C-alpha cells in the first residue's frame, strides 16, 4: 500500500492523469462552448458515444485511422445540427433535447454494434485502426519531463491545443465576446446587431466536434475498440466541471484537472486489494463535492443580495 501512495508523486502518475483527463477535458470544453453561447448541451455523453463508435467503424471500413477521425468530426457536426434544429428552429427545450439524444445514443449504438459485429459487447471483430502516439524530439529524452510530456496519444496534444485556442477565441476575439453576449442576454445582443442564431449555431457545432473527439480518444487511442458504455459518464463529468466553472474557462479546466486526478487515483488503486466498486466511486464523489460547493456558493450569493 505504501508503494501505491508513493506512486501518486511520480512522473508516471502525472502522465496517467493527462491520459485519463483528455476525454474529460474534451467533454468539459464541449459543455462550456455551447453553454457560454446560451444553449446548454447536456448531450455530451451521447455525442461521445457516437464519436467512439463511428470512429472505430469508419476506420475499419476505410482502413485508415485518419479517415475514421474525419468521420468522427462529421458525426459531431451532425449531432450538433440536430440539437440546433430542435432548439433554435423548433424551439424545443434544450435540456429535453439533450436527454433524448443521450438515451437515443445509448440504445442505438448497441443496435448498430449488433448489426455490424453480431455482438452487443464490443467491436473486437472489426479491423479498426488507432491513432498514433507522438514522441516529442528533444523532450522525450529528458528525465521526468520526457515521461510527463512525451509519448501521449495524438488526440491528447490536439486537446491541449484546442483548449488554448478556445481560451483565445473566448477572451481575445470579437466572436468570443459575441458568444458571451448571446449567453448573457440574447435579446440585448440582437438589439446591437449580433446575429444570435448564427453565433449559437457555430458554438453548438464546436461543442459537437469537441464531444465527438472525446469519444474518438477512447476508442482510437485509449483503447483500440468500442465497447458498450465505454464513455462511463465522462460526458456528465465534463458537464459538472462546466457547471462548477460558471462561465470561467480557467476554473472549468482546473475543475477538470481535479476530476482527472481522481480518475488517475482510481487507476492506481485498482492494483490494490480494495473493492473495485468502492474505488470506482471516487470520481463521482469528487463531482458531488464540486456540485455541493457550487450550490453553497450560489446560496450565499443569493442570501447576500
Amino acid at each position: 500500500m505504501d508503494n501505491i501512495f508513493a506512486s501518486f508523486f511520480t512522473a508516471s502518475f502525472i502522465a496517467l492523469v493527462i491520459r485519463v483527463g483528455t476525454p474529460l477535458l474534451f467533454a468539459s470544453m464541449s459543455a462550456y462552448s455551447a453553454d457560454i453561447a446560451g444553449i446548454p448541451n447536456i448531450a455530451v455523453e451521447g455525442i461521445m458515444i457516437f464519436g467512439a463508435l463511428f470512429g472505430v467503424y469508419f476506420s475499419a471500413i476505410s482502413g485508415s485511422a485518419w479517415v475514421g477521425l474525419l468521420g468522427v468530426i462529421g458525426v459531431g457536426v451532425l449531432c450538433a445540427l440536430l440539437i440546433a434544429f430542435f432548439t433554435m428552429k423548433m424551439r424545443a427545450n434544450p435540456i429535453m433535447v439533450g436527454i433524448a439524444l443521450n438515451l437515443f445514443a445509448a440504445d442505438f449504438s448497441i443496435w448498430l454494434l449488433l448489426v455490424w459485429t453480431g455482438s452487443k459487447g464490443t467491436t473486437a471483430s472489426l479491423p479498426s485502426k488507432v491513432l498514433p502516439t507522438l514522441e516529442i524530439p528533444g523532450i522525450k529524452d529528458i528525465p521526468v519531463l520526457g515521461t510527463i510530456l512525451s509519448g501521449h496519444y495524438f488526440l491528447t496534444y490536439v486537446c491541449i491545443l484546442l483548449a488554448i485556442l478556445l481560451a483565445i477565441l473566448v477572451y481575445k476575439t470579437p466572436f468570443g465576446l459575441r458568444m458571451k453576449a448571446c449567453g448573457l442576454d440574447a435579446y440585448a445582443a440582437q438589439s446591437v446587431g449580433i446575429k444570435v442564431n448564427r453565433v449559437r449555431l457555430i458554438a453548438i457545432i464546436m461543442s459537437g466536434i469537441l464531444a465527438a473527439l472525446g469519444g474518438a480518444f477512447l476508442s482510437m487511442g485509449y483503447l483500440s475498440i468500442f465497447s458498450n458504455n465505454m464513455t462511463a459518464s465522462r460526458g456528465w463529468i465534463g458537464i459538472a466541471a462546466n457547471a462548477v466553472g460558471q462561465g470561467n474557462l480557467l476554473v472549468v479546466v482546473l475543475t477538470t484537472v481535479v476530476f482527472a486526478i481522481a480518475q488517475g487515483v482510481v487507476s492506481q488503486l485498482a492494483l490494490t486489494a480494495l473493492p473495485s466498486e468502492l474505488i470506482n466511486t471516487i470520481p463521482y464523489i469528487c463531482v458531488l463535492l464540486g456540485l455541493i460547493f457550487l450550490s453553497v456558493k450560489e446560496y450565499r450569493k443569493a442570501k447576500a443580495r
Side-chain angles (χ1 to χ4, degrees):
M1 183 63 73
D2 290 340
N3 291 335
I4 293 295
F5 283 111
S7 68
F8 294 153
F9 303 96
T10 63
S12 297
F13 179 73
I14 298 175
L16 173 64
V17 169
I18 294 173
R19 185 164 66 250
V20 300
T22 298
L24 299 182
L25 185 54
F26 270 124
S28 60
M29 288 194 297
S30 172
Y32 175 83
S33 59
D35 189 47
I36 197 175
I39 300 184
N41 179 16
I42 66 164
V44 177
E45 181 83 3
I47 300 174
M48 288 181 73
I49 291 174
F50 277 143
L53 175 60
F54 281 98
V56 167
Y57 179 69
F58 287 138
S59 70
I61 63 174
S62 67
S64 169
W66 302 109
V67 173
L69 186 60
L70 288 176
V72 166
I73 294 172
V75 167
V77 171
L78 286 176
C79 289
L81 291 176
L82 187 65
I83 294 171
F85 173 76
F86 282 107
T87 56
M88 293 192 293
K89 182 71 173 178
M90 305 303 293
R91 303 296 180 183
N93 187 305
I95 303 299
M96 300 305 296
V97 173
I99 291 173
L101 186 54
N102 283 331
L103 294 174
F104 175 72
D107 292 333
F108 189 59
S109 62
I110 297 175
W111 182 78
L112 288 177
L113 200 57
L114 182 63
V115 170
W116 291 339
T117 68
S119 167
K120 293 183 179 180
T122 71
T123 58
S125 61
L126 293 179
S128 57
K129 308 300 179 182
V130 295
L131 295 167
T133 57
L134 300 180
E135 299 288 346
I136 304 176
I139 293 181
K140 65 178 182 178
D141 298 323
I142 301 175
V144 181
L145 193 62
T147 302
I148 295 173
L149 299 180
S150 184
H152 291 287
Y153 301 108
F154 170 76
L155 282 177
T156 297
Y157 298 108
V158 171
C159 183
I160 295 171
L161 177 61
L162 289 178
I164 295 171
L165 292 177
L166 181 59
I168 294 172
L169 174 69
V170 171
Y171 293 106
K172 299 295 183 181
T173 68
F175 183 76
L177 292 175
R178 294 190 189 104
M179 288 176 67
K180 289 187 284 188
C182 292
L184 290 171
D185 192 325
Y187 294 106
Q190 194 169 20
S191 69
V192 295
I194 296 175
K195 299 184 183 300
V196 174
N197 283 344
R198 180 185 297 177
V199 172
R200 286 181 168 177
L201 178 61
I202 295 172
I204 198 67
I205 288 175
M206 288 167 50
S207 177
I209 292 173
L210 288 166
L213 289 176
F217 174 86
L218 294 172
S219 63
M220 301 178 69
Y222 194 71
L223 295 175
S224 59
I225 60 172
F226 173 85
S227 61
N228 185 19
N229 194 35
M230 79 178 308
T231 53
S233 299
R234 288 177 174 88
W236 292 109
I237 293 176
I239 291 171
N242 173 63
V244 173
Q246 293 186 301
N248 188 318
L249 183 57
L250 178 59
V251 177
V252 171
V253 171
L254 291 177
T255 305
T256 305
V257 170
V258 172
F259 293 158
I261 292 172
Q263 195 73 54
V265 170
V266 169
S267 299
Q268 291 293 89
L269 292 181
L271 304 174
T272 68
L274 293 173
S276 60
E277 295 82 3
L278 177 63
I279 294 171
N280 290 331
T281 63
I282 293 176
Y284 307 107
I285 291 174
C286 289
V287 171
L288 180 61
L289 292 175
L291 294 177
I292 291 173
F293 170 78
L294 175 61
S295 298
V296 171
K297 181 181 177 182
E298 287 297 308
Y299 173 76
R300 290 179 175 176
K301 187 186 296 184
K303 192 175 180 180
R305 290 173 183 170

